[in-house]
Amino acid sequence: MTNWKQIENGPLLAAIERYRKANGTDPRDDQPGLDGDEGLLGVYLIASGFPPDGYEVGYAGREEE
């Protein structure tokens, strides 16, 4: 087990746990550069489909006319 830097952000921890359950690994195992950068880790989780609680991922496409 890897000793990752401690994260105090509860919603981020919950998103990491959902990622672990779905993928069988910690996102920092998949992308070690994310350890210690909570902002980038959050973006990675959002892009991976596991946004931290309280974040809404909206559609960024063009509005239909």
Side-chain angles (χ1 to χ4, degrees), residues 2-7 16 26-29 31-38 40-41:
T2 306
N3 290 328
W4 299 115
K5 293 182 181 166
Q6 187 171 354
I7 295 175
I16 292 169
D26 188 290
R28 296 165 292 179
D29 287 330
Q31 299 292 329
L34 298 174
D35 188 36
D37 188 339
E38 291 187 18
L40 190 56
L41 179 56

Side-chain angles (χ1 to χ4, degrees), residues 26-58:
D26 188 290
R28 296 165 292 179
D29 287 330
D30 298 337
Q31 299 292 329
L34 298 174
D35 188 36
D37 188 339
E38 291 187 18
L40 190 56
L41 179 56
V43 170
Y44 179 80
L45 289 165
I46 290 167
S48 298
F50 300 92
D53 296 337
Y55 289 88
E56 290 187 26
V57 180

